[in-house]
Amino acid sequence: MGRPQFEAVVASAAREYMELVDLSTGINNNTAGTTVINHYAPDGFIGKVMGLYIHKNGVAGATSGTHVLEFGYPALTRASGKSNFGDTIRYVFSNWDSATVKQSPPTGQTQANVLNDLEFDKTNPFYIAIRNDANVADIQTVVIKAMIKYRQIAE
Amino acid sequence: MKWYKKVDGYENYKGEKFTGNMNKDLEPGDQYEDENNGKKVVLTIQQKQIHGNGSLTVIASGGDV
C-alpha cells in the first residue's frame, strides 16, 4: 500500500467581505453651499452598497428655504431627497423616510432599486452631496452609515 | 491649485491639463469646479481619509460659482 497522496488545494476564489462604513460628516454649508463625500474602493476591489442609513436634521435657525441630499455617482445622481428648512432628511430601509419637498426616485420600489446596483471602485466613487438652500448657514453632523460588500477583482 | 472645468477635462490657470482622477488625486486645499443639483460649484478638498482596508474617503465643500 503506497502512501496516501495529498494535494494542496490553493484557494483561488476572490476575497469578499462586508464592512459597516461610517461616513458621518460634520458640515458647515453657507447658503448655496455644498459638501461632497466621495468614497473609493481599495485597489483591486469593487464595493457594493448593500444598505444605507442617512439622517440629516433641519437647518437650525433658518426661516425659509430648503436643503437637499443626493447620492449616486459624480455627475450622475441616482437618488435625492429635499426637505423644507426645518424638516429632517432621512434615508432608511432603501427609501426616503423623510424628504418633505421632493423624493427622487418618486416611489418606494424605484427608490429601493437605486441601491440594487450601486457599485463603485477605486476611480469611480460612491458619491454623496449635501446642499444648503436655506437662509442661514447649516452647521451640523450628518449621520451616514453604509453596509458595503467589497469583492476582490484582481491581485 | 484651482482646476477649471472645460469641455474636454480640467485645466489650471496656466492652461495645463489635469491627467489624474479629479477629486481623488487632489490634496487638501486644492479646488475644482463641479456641478451639484444642477448648479455649478467650486469645491475645496477638506479631508482625505485612508481606511484600514485601503479604501479612501475624500470630503470637499464649497459654494455656487
Side-chain angles (χ1 to χ4, degrees):
Chain A
M1 189 175 354
R3 296 175 61 185
Q5 300 292 309
F6 293 101
E7 194 172 305
V9 176
V10 178
S12 59
R15 202 155 65 95
E16 189 173 283
Y17 63 97
M18 303 269 283
E19 185 174 69
L20 181 62
V21 179
D22 190 346
L23 297 172
S24 299
T25 301
I27 64 166
N28 187 347
N29 286 342
N30 290 326
T31 299
T34 297
T35 296
V36 169
I37 302 157
N38 281 309
H39 185 69
Y40 299 86
D43 279 3
F45 282 81
I46 296 283
K48 179 174 174 55
V49 181
M50 308 296 291
L52 181 64
Y53 174 82
I54 297 171
H55 182 103
K56 182 186 181 300
N57 290 322
V59 183
T63 56
S64 67
T66 59
H67 56 135
V68 61
L69 191 149
E70 61 184 42
F71 66 86
Y73 305 111
L76 183 59
T77 301
R78 294 188 55 81
S80 67
K82 179 187 284 188
S83 282
N84 278 319
F85 58 92
D87 297 336
T88 296
I89 299 174
R90 186 167 49 242
Y91 187 91
V92 64
F93 302 134
S94 303
N95 284 280
W96 292 108
D97 180 56
S98 177
T100 56
V101 173
K102 186 177 181 183
Q103 302 182 0
S104 296
T107 66
Q109 183 56 54
T110 52
Q111 288 171 21
N113 288 344
V114 165
L115 281 183
N116 288 346
D117 56 356
L118 186 53
E119 296 190 335
F120 58 96
D121 62 14
K122 67 174 182 177
T123 54
N124 301 286
F126 171 39
Y127 168 91
I128 300 166
I130 305 154
R131 179 180 171 81
N132 177 29
D133 284 314
N135 63 336
V136 299
D138 185 11
I139 304 170
Q140 61 173 289
T141 296
V142 179
V143 177
I144 305 166
K145 294 183 179 181
M147 180 59 78
I148 293 174
K149 179 187 281 186
Y150 291 106
R151 184 176 75 250
Q152 192 171 27
I153 53 174
E155 287 298 322
Chain B
M1 180 71 76
K2 184 173 181 179
W3 295 95
Y4 301 88
K5 196 169 189 177
K6 304 293 181 182
V7 175
D8 57 348
Y10 283 87
E11 63 182 41
N12 62 17
Y13 72 98
K14 298 176 185 172
E16 297 166 332
K17 300 288 185 189
F18 186 82
T19 56
N21 183 318
M22 185 51 65
N23 182 264
K24 183 180 184 181
D25 293 337
L26 299 183
E27 295 301 326
D30 288 339
Q31 296 183 307
Y32 67 105
E33 292 181 342
D34 199 3
E35 193 167 295
N36 174 252
N37 208 29
K39 297 181 179 176
K40 195 172 182 180
V41 298
V42 173
L43 298 174
T44 303
I45 303 293
Q46 302 292 344
Q47 186 182 337
K48 294 179 76 172
Q49 181 185 2
I50 300 174
H51 303 273
N53 66 351
S55 61
L56 171 71
T57 305
V58 181
I59 299 172
S61 65
D64 289 0
V65 173

